């Protein structure tokens, strides 16, 4: 082999090593801290056992993190003179919850690992998976190796987080902007098979929509008056602490709670997929897991980018 060929080979090897080093992998902590993932699972299971609703809250944190500048734990940063916290965005203020569980996970993981080696972004991703499993849903191999951001953007959160008032074309466009297709949209919306929503997010639908089951609207109005009661909760489907396909059953019956829920079954391009998930739970489970992996790959910080925070709420300054 001549010198030029040898140099080219060396460059290819170095490129391959660099690509491997900075790619996410489910085995990232296998040698760094093999007890990291079991520790996260233990804390999540305890939190969900204590309050079943917490499973949906932890899953939602991962969604709301990834949709704003990628899966980088920017959502967890508290307000400060230099941080315009995403916690204060329209979609998160007085709504996003579970931060204390993430803090507890971080403390236990750092203790078991002997130092801060597990990023807050990875904790969010693993906690989301473990929450779904704790509520009876599917599991998947979480890709790992993300690092934590040193910035946050409330303005970006207000722009990028999908509103519960969006119609189908707007939802499709919102997900497309993050590299997610219509199948991802419907599968990931299936996360609403667990959890609750506040009255102000569905009031307009239960009082003004025409594509709604009348008896369902009356039932929801009982706890969501025309004025007041903005934070009153209603379940997103009939089994809000069980990961199942009741959400899709509801959509077919015109009993989706949010405008953005019912938009998925409204005579549009996603109707067939809603019906498929309703009839074949195993298809939904598979697609949900694949879409969660895909969402978890949105613009991660890797390698020397970002940092591993010692406190998930604060940027490291040193």
């Amino acid at each position: 082999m001549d010198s030029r060929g040898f140099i080219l080979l060396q460059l290819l090897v170095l490129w391959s090593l660099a690509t491997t080093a900075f790619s996410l992998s489910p085995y990232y902590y296998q040698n760094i801290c093999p007890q990291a993932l079991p520790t996260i699972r233990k804390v999540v299971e305890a939190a969900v056992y204590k309050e079943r609703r917490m499973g949906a809250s932890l899953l939602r944190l991962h969604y709301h993190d990834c949709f704003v500048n990628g899966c980088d734990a920017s959502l967890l940063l508290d307000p400060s003179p230099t941080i315009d916290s995403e916690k204060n965005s329209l979609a998160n203020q007085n709504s996003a919850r579970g931060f204390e569980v993430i803090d507890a996970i971080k403390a236990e993981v750092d203790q078991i690992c002997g130092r801060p080696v597990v990023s807050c972004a990875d904790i969010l991703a693993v906690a989301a998976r473990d929450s779904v499993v704790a509520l009876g849903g599917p599991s998947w191999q979480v890709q790992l190796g993300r690092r934590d951001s040193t910035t946050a953007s409330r303005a970006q959160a207000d722009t990028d987080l999908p509103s519960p008032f969006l119609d189908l074309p707007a939802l499709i466009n919102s997900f497309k902007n993050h590299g997610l297709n219509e199948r991802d949209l419907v599968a990931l919306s299936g996360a609403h098979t667990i959890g609750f929503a506040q009255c102000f997010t569905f009031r307009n639908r239960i009082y003004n929509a025409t594509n709604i089951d009348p008896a369902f609207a009356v039932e929801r109005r009982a706890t969501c008056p025309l004025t007041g009661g903005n934070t009153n909760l209603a379940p997103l489907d009939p089994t809000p602490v069980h990961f199942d396909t009741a959400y899709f059953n509801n959509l077919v019956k015109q009993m989706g709670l949010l405008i953005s829920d019912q938009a998925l079954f409204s005579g549009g391009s996603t109707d067939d997929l809603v019906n498929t998930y309703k009839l074949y739970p195993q298809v939904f489970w598979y697609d949900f897991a694949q879409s969660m992996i895909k969402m978890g790959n949105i613009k991660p910080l890797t390698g020397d980018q970002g940092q591993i925070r010692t406190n998930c709420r604060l940027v490291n300054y040193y």
Side-chain angles (χ1 to χ4, degrees):
M1 181 183 295
D2 62 25
S3 60
R4 286 176 301 175
F6 182 71
I7 292 171
L8 180 60
L9 178 62
Q10 284 185 314
L11 289 173
L12 286 171
V13 169
L14 288 172
W15 177 86
S16 175
L17 289 172
T19 303
T20 301
F22 298 149
S23 295
L24 301 184
S25 165
Y27 310 110
Y28 185 82
Y29 295 108
Q30 195 169 61
N31 294 322
I32 299 173
C33 182
Q35 287 304 307
L37 268 60
T39 302
I40 296 173
R41 184 177 65 247
K42 180 189 72 172
V43 179
V44 168
E45 288 175 348
V48 174
Y49 180 81
K50 181 179 178 181
E51 184 200 2
R52 300 281 284 175
R53 180 186 169 204
M54 186 55 69
S57 299
L58 294 174
L59 175 59
R60 187 168 182 256
L61 288 182
H62 183 44
Y63 269 73
H64 282 213
D65 180 43
C66 290
F67 265 65
V68 183
N69 292 322
C71 309
D72 60 2
S74 57
L75 171 60
L76 302 180
L77 290 171
D78 281 343
S80 77
T82 58
I83 298 294
D84 191 13
S85 178
E86 293 165 24
K87 294 179 179 180
N88 292 330
S89 68
L90 295 173
N92 292 325
Q93 191 171 40
N94 301 317
S95 175
R97 60 196 298 274
F99 298 110
E100 71 284 356
V101 177
I102 301 300
D103 292 339
I105 293 170
K106 177 65 171 169
E108 291 217 23
V109 166
D110 283 358
Q111 182 177 24
I112 202 79
C113 296
R115 64 196 192 285
V117 294
V118 180
S119 69
C120 302
D122 276 349
I123 287 173
L124 283 174
V126 177
R129 188 270 311 276
D130 292 347
S131 293
V132 169
V133 173
L135 295 177
S139 185
W140 60 92
Q141 279 195 317
V142 178
Q143 301 293 306
L144 301 166
R146 301 169 190 81
R147 288 170 64 83
D148 301 323
S149 72
T150 57
T151 61
S153 175
R154 178 176 61 171
Q156 201 67 42
D158 284 337
T159 299
D160 286 353
L161 290 173
S163 161
F165 311 112
L166 295 184
D167 61 14
L168 183 59
L171 286 168
I172 291 172
N173 187 61
S174 175
F175 275 64
K176 182 180 178 181
N177 288 340
H178 297 287
L180 302 170
N181 59 33
E182 288 187 30
R183 198 171 192 93
D184 299 315
L185 163 63
V186 181
L188 292 172
S189 294
H192 284 182
T193 189
I194 54 175
F196 296 79
Q198 296 184 32
C199 169
F200 79 93
T201 64
F202 60 85
R203 178 184 284 120
N204 184 51
R205 172 160 165 74
I206 63 174
Y207 284 97
N208 299 313
T210 56
N211 62 339
I212 190 169
D213 177 82
F216 174 71
V218 169
E219 180 184 3
R220 292 279 71 89
R221 290 172 191 165
T223 55
C224 183
L226 263 172
T227 57
N230 280 353
T231 60
N232 292 354
L233 296 176
L236 285 160
D237 85 351
T239 57
V241 294
H242 296 284
F243 198 96
D244 53 28
T245 56
Y247 170 76
F248 298 108
N249 294 337
N250 263 20
L251 298 188
V252 172
K253 298 175 187 175
Q254 294 194 320
M255 293 166 63
L257 184 63
L258 306 176
I259 290 172
S260 57
D261 288 330
Q262 196 58 56
L264 301 179
F265 193 84
S266 56
S269 58
T270 54
D271 281 16
D272 287 346
L273 193 52
V274 169
N275 264 320
T276 297
Y277 291 160
K278 169 183 174 287
L279 294 171
Y280 304 104
Q282 67 275 21
V283 177
F284 167 52
W285 279 35
Y286 177 83
D287 282 359
F288 181 81
Q290 295 305 305
S291 293
M292 286 296 294
I293 294 170
K294 189 174 177 181
M295 184 185 74
N297 285 332
I298 297 175
K299 294 168 59 177
L301 300 176
T302 59
D304 294 328
Q305 299 172 315
Q307 60 183 210
I308 305 296
R309 292 186 208 139
T310 56
N311 180 334
C312 288
R313 296 172 182 258
L314 304 171
V315 173
N316 301 340
Y317 291 107
Y318 50 75

